[in-house]
Amino acid sequence: MLLGMICALCSAVCIGTASVLQAVATRATRPGSGSGIDVTLLLRALRQWRYTVGLALYGLSFALQVVALLTLPLYAVEAAQAASLAVTAVAAARVLGVRLSRTEWGAVAAVCAGLAVLGFSSGAEGGSEGPPALRYALLGIACAVLLAGAPAGRLPGRSRALVLGLGAGTGFGVVSVSVRLLDGPTPPPLVADPAAYALLLAGGAAFLLLASAFQRGSVTTATAGMVVGETVGPAVVGVVWLGDRTRDGLAAAAVVGFVVAVAGALALARFGEAAVGAVAQETTPAPSRKD
């Protein structure tokens, strides 16, 4: 279980770094159709090295997350993913010179404390495959995320960033649950497994929505929506259908740890914006002076 938690936290570091790099890249990309599902926006962003490096970091993050999901309950892995915002906040304070208030340092401490409580109280990964309908439900949710992206991209202001971020987080959550189902005791052949298609569809939709959210909205709002979308749903699915449990007598402690870690991460959402602004400022050429 220790290896799983280490992998989950390393995955969070990769996600935090990748989100900043991709947000900078998409903001420097010419706007597209205005839809939340804009493939041309993604293709243009891929021409920028920051987006490509961010994509590679997401790939590394996914590999580490798979290792974590082999030994930890979904609620512990997803709460650890939310810790990426604490990593971004500390990096912004140390590297970029961003000043953290006492409340924000308290939020960093809350994330760390919540994860520590979760790590202590978490049981082993649940061994249940869940009901057969769960795999089809995941595929249905993945389709809904993809279809909802187009109208969501045309919402006004903060609502657009929040809904797109929430949709992206939901997509990433579907990916996590699908990985668990594919690694179940008796997984069906991949070509006949709806969970495999849900993983591919939800992952692709999540990247499209996240690119649109970063390009045309507040990084802070989009990140907060993504954290909620990728933590709450998978945690509920893991406990209700996949057999995730805590150590004996520590269920209440696990709930408190999860809530504290996610709430602390949400309190630090603004650092996605701060880091993006700092990196963008460094990459913007200084205006020439006229003599």
Side-chain angles (χ1 to χ4, degrees), residues 177-189:
V177 177
S178 298
V179 168
R180 273 286 298 274
L181 292 178
L182 293 174
D183 185 58
T186 55

Side-chain angles (χ1 to χ4, degrees), residues 18 22 37 45 63-65 85 90 119 126 152 168 197 200 203 249 264 266:
Q22 291 193 336
I37 301 295
L64 292 167
Q65 186 180 13
L85 287 169
V90 173
Y197 297 102
L200 296 174
L266 290 174

Side-chain angles (χ1 to χ4, degrees), residues 66 69-70 125-130 135 176-190 193 195 242:
V66 169
L69 287 168
L70 295 177
E125 171 204 9
S128 174
E129 295 182 47
R135 299 173 185 267
S176 298
V177 177
S178 298
V179 168
R180 273 286 298 274
L181 292 178
L182 293 174
D183 185 58
T186 55
L190 288 180
D193 192 345
L242 300 184

Side-chain angles (χ1 to χ4, degrees), residues 191-255:
V191 73
D193 192 345
Y197 297 102
L199 186 154
L200 296 174
L201 184 60
F207 276 111
L208 288 171
L209 265 64
L210 194 59
S212 295
F214 284 160
Q215 207 276 334
R216 290 189 297 272
S218 164
V219 176
T220 299
T221 304
T223 303
M226 183 176 67
V227 167
V228 172
E230 72 179 345
T231 55
V232 178
V236 172
V237 170
V239 171
V240 175
W241 287 296
L242 300 184
D244 288 347
R245 295 293 182 266
T246 64
R247 295 183 181 181
D248 292 340
L250 294 178
V255 171

Side-chain angles (χ1 to χ4, degrees), residues 27-124:
R27 287 200 162 192
T29 302
R30 179 170 54 86
S33 65
S35 169
I37 301 295
D38 189 349
V39 178
T40 59
L41 172 64
L42 185 62
L43 293 175
R44 288 195 298 274
L46 283 170
R47 299 173 186 172
Q48 300 194 38
W49 69 267
R50 284 182 179 80
Y51 196 91
T52 305
V53 171
L55 203 60
L57 285 172
Y58 268 119
L60 176 58
S61 169
F62 177 72
L64 292 167
Q65 186 180 13
V66 169
V67 175
L69 287 168
L70 295 177
T71 57
L72 292 175
L74 271 166
Y75 62 80
V77 176
E78 297 309 313
Q81 299 297 295
S84 62
L85 287 169
V87 173
T88 303
V90 173
R94 297 294 298 272
V95 179
L96 303 175
V98 177
R99 186 180 296 275
L100 274 69
S101 67
R102 290 183 180 181
T103 301
E104 288 162 340
W105 276 119
V108 172
V111 172
C112 296
L115 290 177
V117 172
L118 264 180
F120 178 75
S121 58
S122 296

